Amino acid sequence: MTSVLDDWLQPRQGGGAGGVSDRFSRLRPPAAERRDGEESGLEDDADHPGADHPGAGLISTGPQTRFHERMTYGLRTALNAQVPGDLVAVSRMDVLLGPDRRARPDVSLVDDLAASDDGRTCYLAEDVRLVIEVVSPDSAASDRDLRPRHYAAAGIPHFWRVESTDFRPFVYSFELDADGAGYQVTGVHHTRLTVDSPFPITIDLDRLPR
């Protein structure tokens, strides 16, 4: 049996970041997108994306909460209001983490040269300075463990994880260890997020653009 991921992850002829197919297998409706390891029970097989998963095509992504949408939009907008000219924040664009793995972070901070190509369907990990995941109930395990491990392994230098208490956000900020083996926490930010890298930025979490 053919895996959903077998069809999804294969490069088209010619290769390159822009040549990676965004098609989904016929086993799954195109509207039901799944990121790396999400809502599929794939966490146990995350290192074997070519393995068969007979039920994978029947599992649909849960609906997005307004909190999740608001955080994604607000953080992207706040970042773009303060970024230096060589960076751009984008939302829900695929990032290639390796030859057989890709993910779709809620927000990514990418090099302007890569972001300026409107025909791109994904970015290379080396194009990306920061990825942000907004934790939701159906992706919590992946957002807290699986995806950070994959992002770190791909060499993405910064990672933010957005959590909530009664739909009020707080953010864990991380950066790669000196040896690049994983992330270390650089702060837990309530109300106001202030960091020095990947560039100096201050974000009022209670007054994000809506």
Side-chain angles (χ1 to χ4, degrees):
M1 181 173 179
T2 301
S3 166
V4 172
L5 298 185
D6 287 338
D7 186 55
W8 185 33
L9 297 173
Q10 296 304 314
R12 296 191 188 103
Q13 291 297 323
V20 175
S21 174
D22 291 322
R23 292 181 301 111
F24 286 82
S25 164
R26 64 183 180 276
L27 297 175
R28 189 183 190 92
E33 295 187 356
R34 180 175 64 241
R35 287 176 289 171
D36 187 11
E38 182 177 288
E39 297 99 31
S40 61
L42 296 185
E43 286 82 358
D44 292 340
D45 293 297
D47 293 327
H48 301 88
D52 284 345
H53 301 283
L58 302 178
I59 302 170
S60 61
T61 302
Q64 177 176 232
T65 64
R66 166 60 175 150
F67 174 81
H68 191 284
E69 187 274 337
R70 182 166 62 84
M71 289 299 103
T72 300
Y73 173 81
L75 288 169
R76 177 190 177 184
T77 303
L79 283 167
N80 277 329
Q82 300 185 49
V83 291
D86 61 340
L87 296 172
V88 177
V90 301
S91 58
R92 297 195 57 78
M93 287 291 294
D94 282 12
V95 176
L96 300 183
L97 303 178
D100 55 2
R101 175 173 291 123
R102 64 196 284 167
R104 185 173 297 167
D106 290 315
V107 179
S108 305
L109 190 65
V110 303
D111 292 342
D112 177 67
L113 184 61
S116 65
D117 180 359
D118 285 342
R120 291 284 287 270
T121 62
C122 56
Y123 301 110
L124 303 176
E126 53 261 39
D127 295 329
V128 181
R129 309 285 186 86
L130 164 71
V131 289
I132 304 173
E133 293 290 0
V134 181
V135 174
S136 57
D138 56 1
S139 68
S142 292
D143 289 337
R144 292 168 180 160
D145 178 52
L146 179 68
R147 294 194 188 98
R149 286 192 283 113
H150 290 175
Y151 294 148
I156 296 173
H158 299 278
F159 170 65
W160 295 355
R161 190 181 79 234
V162 182
E163 303 268 2
S164 69
T165 301
D166 296 327
F167 300 110
R168 294 193 64 183
F170 60 99
V171 179
Y172 290 88
S173 58
F174 302 84
E175 65 180 12
L176 275 179
D177 290 332
D179 60 3
Y183 288 116
Q184 60 181 1
V185 177
T186 59
V188 182
H189 310 268
H190 298 263
T191 307
R192 183 174 296 271
L193 183 152
T194 301
V195 295
D196 293 326
S197 57
F199 64 93
I201 185 171
T202 297
I203 298 175
D204 186 341
L205 297 174
D206 287 337
R207 301 178 69 88
L208 285 170
R210 301 173 68 90

